[in-house]
Amino acid sequence: MEIRSKEFKSRAVFAIHDASLQQAMGKARDGFVGKRAQQAAELPEFEALREEAKNLKNHILENLDHYLERYEDAVKRAGGHVHWARDAQEARAIILDICKRVNAKTITKGKSMVSEEIDLNEALIEHGMEVVETDLGEYIIQLANEPPSHIIAPAVHKTKNQVSDLFEAAHGGPRKTEVADLVNEARQVLREKYFRADVGITGGNFLIAETGSSMIVTNEGNGDLTQTLAKVHIVTSGIERVVPTLDDATLFLRLLARSATGQETETYTTISTGPRRATDLDGPEEYHVVLVDNGRSKMLAGHFRDMLRCIRCGACMNHCPVYGSVGGHAYGWVYPGPMGSVLTPLIKGLDNAYDLPNACTLNGRCASVCPVKIPLPDLLRELRHLQHQQELSPVMQRRALKAWRFVATRPKLYHAGEWIAVRVLKLLGRKGSIRRLPFAQAWTDVRDLPTPEGQTFLQRWQAQRGK
Amino acid sequence: MTTPQSASRPASPPRVGLFVTCLVDAMRPSVGFAALKLLRDAGCRVEVPDAQTCCGQPAFNSGDTADAAVLARRFIESFEPYDYVVGPSGSCVGMTRAHYEEVLSNDPAWSERARRLGERTYELMSFLVDVMHYTPTDVKLDSSFTYHDSCSGLRELGVHDQPRALLDKVTGLTLKPLEGNDVCCGFGGTFCVKYPSISNAVVTEKAEAIERSGAQLLLGGDLGCLMNMSGKLKRQGSKVRSLHAAEVLAGMGNGPAIGEED
């Protein structure tokens, strides 16, 4: 999808005034946060697991080339193919080639954020193929022709009513209003697609270097049907998702579901290794893995390596007050919330997403729940630093900071200026508060500003000592 | 950052440099005097470096690390002579304790000075409890309060139990828990004026939670956050009064609240 992060501010305002969005977000937020907290509290070693997962990820990233090569060898041994894509365009071309070669007409898809990142659906549809998202949330937003607004709950911004409308329009009546009925309706529509699918495309939560397997977790089982019933299975994954062994993957599995949805484990955890063997009852005839770089090796080499630990659980956005207020679409690209505010400028360019690292209070709640302890506020601040260095920040802001530094290094000047400001504010106050202040309307439009007490602390202190 | 270790109380009265913070200095000196009183009651010799201005946090958080470094060096020079540096703000102390080392990382000597000073720099509530083992006596206030844990104090410095332990000793004062006490209030320094709509959405929710707590007082340990929340509460005509926790602990709980007339 075309990046629209430059419109963040206006999209955020729009979202804040969207009543049904706010209704949907409120429900989801309370659910995710409460359930995660309960899971974390019930597992005594949860905090230790986070530390262990961080360290293991760091080790993998330190040796990423080694594990990726081992993984590639293992996939080949199992009869599969590995394709390396430097960027989104290469990834699309590789997948298109496979689909064209097998003359694909219908393509089913499990949830894959990498496929969103590389604009895969548009490319396939452009070439006359039918693409069917099989994750319920993805299916809903595909009907609505919208991008996901959350990395694990793509339709979290939709109310049940809106889903009823979409299904009625797409499937024909009668209109369903109960969740169970809506799910059943989608299931029936999708079931038929699974059997017709020529190609099934899934993401990969983990790629196992020792066995050459891809592992996915879902709550609907849609991923299993996508990858076992189609003639060709294509896995799209970022290069950072490799883990050394199956045993290692279990460490992340213990953290992933708890952090993401507040479940002990997701309903389905499925491991795919190569195409079907002679003795297998079913499975794809071809198995392909497309490993996407798209800016990741640059992150690996620079200040943002920590971001590559991300296991895409979504806890950071679930706990972010900004995401909670504006929803995922305001961010303007595929990855929203704190992790998206780091990834988007790194993948799409600092100047294309100026607001994302800045629209954050640096409150740190995201980092405190991150299962792999990514220091998200530090990374966002580092992006601000790069923006400042490249003079992408507003010129007035840069001048104001210079002026502030000039004054703050001259205590006499600073305290004289402070005294004038305090006097002015004191004069403008009524009954202890200021309700409207020119040049500070961003504050006073929505809240009062307290009037200063009068003398500054240092003035009173010096007067007391002088006595 | 880890929670400061609870060591034994200093044997002789420590010399404490009071880090007033620029907001307290300009807007609400009474918080500074409350801090002064509490530190003295706890047995400290308190001094206030005259030349203190700003810790550089606005520059650092805006990506201007070079200007932040200039202010950080100034701060270190002003406060290095003291046994401890104590400030009534988790945010400002978080900047000096958790970030100065990084701000000055280009210069190993300064970075080391930052680290050493950081080890002796404390948020007021945590200093009173963790270092001075202070317990307030003879403080009374017939009221109920709810407590907002400001983010930097909570997550960078581990300040959570200390203010509650201290406030628990105030006779007549009862705690009413705040739903989402660890959720940001939407202040975020310059964030609140750079993204006013989002800040307003976040503080609106916070104000609703404060009202739902049923408390008469909103207390916290950071003036910036308190100004944001109390400003919203006042604009909405709420009866909840807002004070810095230090003011209540220093026996100033009946004085004018934030945004009230003297």
Side-chain angles (χ1 to χ4, degrees):
Chain A
M1 75 187 262
E2 197 188 331
I3 181 165
R4 305 185 72 178
S5 302
K6 279 184 176 170
E7 300 158 31
F8 175 80
K9 275 188 178 176
S10 56
R11 291 165 79 93
V13 172
F14 185 78
I16 286 167
H17 293 102
D18 181 340
S20 44
L21 171 72
Q22 292 300 326
Q23 186 199 336
M25 296 296 298
K27 266 190 188 168
R29 189 174 50 218
D30 297 344
F32 280 137
V33 170
K35 285 179 191 162
R36 181 215 167 264
Q38 196 185 338
Q39 286 295 341
E42 281 175 8
L43 186 66
E45 65 268 40
F46 189 77
E47 288 307 313
L49 290 179
R50 286 177 69 213
E51 185 65 23
E52 206 183 315
K54 178 187 96 172
N55 293 336
L56 177 54
K57 272 281 178 187
N58 283 345
H59 164 81
I60 295 167
L61 293 170
E62 198 70 46
N63 303 282
L64 190 60
D65 50 347
H66 167 76
Y67 287 117
L68 282 171
E69 280 169 13
R70 282 197 58 182
Y71 171 71
E72 182 180 30
D73 291 345
V75 173
K76 284 180 184 163
R77 276 202 307 276
H81 306 272
V82 175
H83 310 262
W84 301 85
R86 267 172 299 198
D87 54 26
Q89 198 203 332
E90 277 193 15
R92 281 194 305 269
I94 291 163
I95 296 167
L96 256 177
D97 275 352
I98 300 169
C99 293
K100 280 187 198 161
R101 182 173 51 74
V102 300
N103 201 16
K105 292 188 180 60
T106 299
I107 297 168
T108 46
K109 277 187 71 207
K111 222 181 110 35
S112 156
M113 287 308 294
V114 168
S115 80
E116 303 280 350
E117 181 185 324
I118 63 173
D119 293 318
L120 183 59
N121 286 12
E122 291 87 335
L124 297 172
I125 291 165
E126 219 170 85
H127 285 79
M129 300 169 204
E130 182 196 19
V131 179
V132 185
E133 293 286 353
T134 63
D135 172 88
L136 183 59
E138 287 283 348
Y139 179 69
I140 291 167
I141 59 165
Q142 191 183 20
L143 291 181
N145 196 25
E146 288 174 12
S149 72
H150 189 290
I151 61 169
I152 63 153
V156 70
H157 59 288
K158 290 277 180 230
T159 61
K160 190 177 69 180
N161 236 339
Q162 291 172 320
V163 176
S164 296
D165 291 345
L166 284 168
F167 279 20
E168 191 181 1
H171 309 148
R175 182 187 164 87
K176 311 283 194 302
T177 53
E178 293 303 313
V179 172
D181 295 336
L182 289 165
V183 172
N184 268 334
E185 188 170 299
R187 203 168 263 165
Q188 272 162 25
V189 173
L190 291 172
R191 182 112 337 182
E192 181 216 342
K193 307 283 185 190
Y194 291 123
F195 290 112
R196 268 208 342 241
D198 304 297
V199 176
I201 300 176
T202 67
N205 287 94
F206 306 101
L207 307 174
I208 318 294
E210 70 171 344
T211 58
S213 313
S214 54
M215 183 183 279
I216 58 167
V217 295
T218 73
N219 272 325
E220 298 161 25
N222 63 304
D224 307 24
L225 296 173
T226 300
Q227 65 188 18
T228 48
L229 294 180
K231 289 195 281 285
V232 176
H233 178 199
I234 303 175
V235 179
T236 56
S237 178
I239 53 169
E240 80 284 15
R241 306 305 286 274
V242 68
V243 298
T245 65
L246 277 168
D247 211 26
D248 293 325
T250 61
L251 166 64
F252 297 108
L253 284 175
R254 296 186 76 195
L255 288 162
L256 178 60
R258 289 181 167 91
S259 302
T261 48
Q263 294 167 283
E264 267 178 62
T265 175
E266 308 287 354
T267 314
Y268 299 89
T269 299
T270 312
I271 302 167
S272 285
T273 313
R276 85 195 277 178
R277 280 146 294 215
T279 49
D280 288 344
L281 290 176
D282 35 31
E285 290 157 23
E286 291 181 29
Y287 178 85
H288 298 268
V289 184
V290 182
L291 290 172
V292 181
D293 186 318
N294 209 26
R296 287 165 174 79
S297 44
K298 227 171 105 187
M299 285 180 228
L300 187 68
H303 284 118
F304 298 94
R305 176 182 283 194
D306 289 344
M307 194 61 226
L308 294 176
R309 293 204 296 267
C310 181
I311 57 171
R312 303 291 192 268
C313 71
C316 61
M317 56 198 77
N318 294 340
H319 290 78
C320 172
V322 175
Y323 177 89
S325 298
V326 305
H329 286 164
Y331 292 80
W333 198 51
V334 295
Y335 298 112
M339 56 82 80
S341 297
V342 177
L343 282 177
T344 307
L346 290 176
I347 296 176
K348 303 300 275 188
L350 276 179
D351 50 339
N352 281 320
Y354 174 76
D355 278 312
L356 302 195
N358 290 284
C360 161
T361 64
L362 301 177
N363 65 80
R365 198 168 177 232
C366 51
S368 76
V369 295
C370 175
V372 284
K373 295 191 171 183
I374 299 171
L376 290 155
D378 294 341
L379 298 183
L380 291 168
R381 205 190 281 105
E382 181 61 27
L383 285 166
R384 295 180 190 182
H385 181 54
L386 295 180
Q387 288 174 330
H388 180 84
Q389 278 184 329
Q390 296 175 23
E391 303 197 341
L392 296 169
S393 52
V395 64
M396 286 306 289
Q397 176 181 309
R398 292 199 302 279
R399 282 186 194 158
L401 290 166
K402 278 265 168 290
W404 179 253
R405 192 265 290 151
F406 182 86
V407 176
T409 44
R410 291 163 177 77
K412 281 192 179 137
L413 180 64
Y414 176 92
H415 290 127
E418 181 190 14
W419 175 230
I420 294 167
V422 164
R423 290 310 302 161
V424 171
L425 290 177
K426 184 77 182 163
L427 285 171
L428 291 171
R430 296 281 175 277
K431 292 183 181 172
S433 288
I434 300 166
R435 290 182 68 86
R436 200 172 154 274
L437 184 64
F439 307 113
Q441 276 132 323
W443 181 283
T444 56
D445 275 354
V446 296
R447 52 174 106 59
D448 289 3
L449 182 71
T451 313
E453 286 176 1
Q455 285 189 308
T456 68
F457 177 88
L458 287 170
Q459 284 173 327
R460 278 172 64 184
W461 166 254
Q462 281 152 8
Q464 278 184 14
R465 266 195 323 180
K467 271 179 210 166
Chain B
M1 284 304 295
T2 50
T3 312
Q5 289 296 305
S6 215
S8 58
R9 196 173 180 278
S12 58
R15 204 169 147 235
V16 170
L18 181 62
F19 171 20
V20 181
T21 78
C22 40
L23 264 188
V24 166
D25 186 44
M27 302 300 287
R28 201 163 170 84
S30 56
V31 174
F33 284 100
L36 194 68
K37 178 179 185 302
L38 289 166
L39 289 168
R40 283 176 173 164
D41 287 354
C44 304
R45 289 183 292 146
V46 188
E47 292 177 39
V48 185
D50 285 340
Q52 59 181 300
T53 57
C54 164
C55 67
Q57 184 174 197
F60 181 53
N61 284 349
S62 299
D64 182 358
T65 314
D67 282 320
V70 175
L71 295 173
R73 284 196 289 267
R74 262 200 95 247
F75 181 95
I76 293 168
E77 279 173 343
S78 308
F79 283 97
E80 249 173 357
Y82 301 98
D83 297 333
Y84 294 100
V85 183
V86 179
S89 159
S91 165
C92 307
V93 169
M95 173 68 190
T96 59
R97 197 180 156 108
H99 298 297
Y100 268 7
E101 218 181 315
E102 183 199 335
V103 168
L104 297 166
S105 59
N106 286 338
D107 185 333
W110 272 105
S111 177
E112 176 60 15
R113 284 170 75 175
R115 191 188 62 75
R116 288 194 186 175
L117 186 64
E119 285 175 353
R120 315 200 301 272
T121 305
Y122 286 86
E123 185 275 338
L124 176 65
M125 306 289 150
S126 71
F127 182 73
L128 290 171
V129 172
D130 300 331
V131 179
M132 298 308 293
H133 302 274
Y134 169 72
T135 307
T137 47
D138 296 332
V139 189
K140 275 187 196 157
L141 187 66
D142 283 321
S143 193
S144 59
F145 77 103
T146 196
Y147 200 88
H148 169 73
D149 292 287
S150 286
C151 302
S152 304
L154 178 68
R155 283 182 273 268
E156 290 182 343
L157 305 171
V159 179
H160 177 272
D161 296 345
Q162 302 92 329
R164 288 171 176 81
L166 292 168
L167 289 162
D168 186 50
K169 302 290 180 222
V170 178
T171 314
L173 191 62
T174 49
L175 171 66
K176 301 216 168 188
L178 178 65
E179 209 180 295
N181 61 294
D182 66 334
V183 181
C184 175
C185 71
F187 173 62
T190 54
F191 169 86
C192 70
V193 288
K194 285 180 184 162
Y195 299 92
S197 318
I198 303 173
S199 175
N200 182 41
V202 177
V203 74
T204 299
E205 241 179 82
K206 179 62 71 177
E208 284 165 8
I210 293 166
E211 289 282 7
R212 274 200 303 276
S213 78
Q216 294 168 290
L217 289 177
L218 166 68
L219 302 183
D222 270 83
L223 188 55
C225 313
L226 285 165
M227 281 169 56
N228 177 42
M229 293 180 287
S230 69
K232 190 70 200 176
L233 288 164
K234 278 198 73 77
R235 180 62 57 95
Q236 293 179 338
S238 166
K239 296 266 183 290
V240 178
R241 303 171 70 239
S242 308
L243 288 161
H244 193 288
E247 295 177 287
V248 169
L249 292 169
M252 295 152 62
N254 285 317
I258 298 169
E260 282 180 3
E261 215 159 5
D262 299 351

